[in-house]
Amino acid sequence: IDYALDELKLDGVCPLTSYSGVYLGDPKFDPVFEALNDRKAVVYTHPAHEMKLGISYPGFMIEYTFDTTRAVANLLFTGAIKRFPHVRIILSHAGGAAPYLAWRLHVASAISTKIPKWSYEQLRRGLRHFWYDTALSAGPELMDCLISVVGPDRVVFGSDWPFGTASVVKEAVKNLSSSDFLTAAERAALARKNAIALFPRFAR
């Protein structure tokens, strides 16, 4: 972090969601997050692994999104985003299932004593702490859900290129450029404005 951000002046860092089964919100990673918090760093995190479930579907299709969902719950309920509020975290794939599960994450605390008791608005504020990219996530229903939970100012364009093939990226750009389910202001924010807020040097 010292070398990459202080000397090379890079734009951010890219850790995986977990290492050896330990997710980023674990106190073991506090020294890393302290260094990132001091620099108000941008962090892009990508799913680390897929669970072996004995089904034939490729892991990226389903399991990567759930790995990100686990990471979000971990960062929220371990208090990591409160301990390190200046770290700006971009989540892959529209945050996985986290936006869709927002209310479920909230009411879980009424069922389990292992989960902090957050009001629904506290939970939504927690989800709005993150930014969400659109990689492999440009469907209208998904974008409606995401924007309704976190707002249009927390969504940035992501392509997943080259893993996302040219035809996939083309379809995503077509969807995200459409006036059918995004307003002009939302399209402009997603295409450039929100990313510039994270990386202001590119505004020049």
Side-chain angles (χ1 to χ4, degrees):
I1 291 170
D2 293 345
Y3 182 64
L5 300 184
D6 298 345
E7 294 190 41
L8 296 181
K9 307 297 183 184
L10 298 183
D11 294 300
V13 298
C14 181
L16 297 175
T17 49
S18 68
Y19 294 86
S20 300
V22 181
Y23 282 83
L24 295 177
D26 191 282
K28 291 179 181 179
F29 291 107
D30 279 4
V32 174
F33 273 84
E34 286 172 4
L36 295 169
N37 195 65
D38 289 344
R39 294 162 175 80
K40 298 182 179 179
V42 176
V43 171
Y44 170 77
T45 185
H46 192 276
H49 67 281
E50 58 200 67
M51 294 182 70
K52 305 299 183 183
L53 299 178
I55 57 177
S56 60
Y57 307 123
F60 78 86
M61 188 174 79
I62 297 173
E63 289 308 313
Y64 277 13
T65 59
F66 291 131
D67 189 63
T68 294
T69 306
R70 287 188 285 271
V72 171
N74 176 259
L75 287 163
L76 291 174
F77 296 138
T78 59
I81 64 170
K82 291 184 178 181
R83 296 196 304 275
F84 309 108
H86 303 302
V87 180
R88 295 170 290 168
I89 302 171
I90 305 171
L91 301 169
S92 303
H93 315 131
Y100 179 79
L101 295 176
W103 193 79
R104 185 183 181 95
L105 294 175
H106 152 58
V107 299
S109 65
I111 301 169
S112 172
T113 58
K114 296 180 180 180
I115 303 169
K117 292 189 179 298
W118 287 15
S119 69
Y120 189 40
E121 184 49 41
Q122 281 179 300
L123 193 283
R124 286 175 62 111
R125 281 200 303 270
L127 291 175
R128 287 194 291 267
H129 175 84
F130 304 100
W131 279 259
Y132 300 76
D133 88 0
T134 63
L136 300 185
S137 305
E141 299 86 0
L142 191 156
M143 292 303 299
D144 281 347
C145 174
L146 177 62
I147 290 174
S148 72
V149 173
V150 305
D153 59 326
R154 290 297 188 176
V155 184
V156 294
F157 178 76
S159 67
D160 235 334
W161 175 266
F163 182 79
T165 61
S167 63
V168 170
V169 176
K170 182 178 180 181
E171 183 174 349
V173 170
K174 179 182 177 181
N175 280 1
L176 298 173
S177 302
S178 171
S179 60
D180 291 343
F181 65 97
L182 292 175
T183 67
E186 288 169 345
R187 295 195 303 274
L190 190 153
R192 178 174 171 82
K193 181 180 177 182
N194 297 340
I196 292 300
L198 287 169
F199 306 107
R201 74 180 183 89
F202 291 107
R204 296 193 294 271

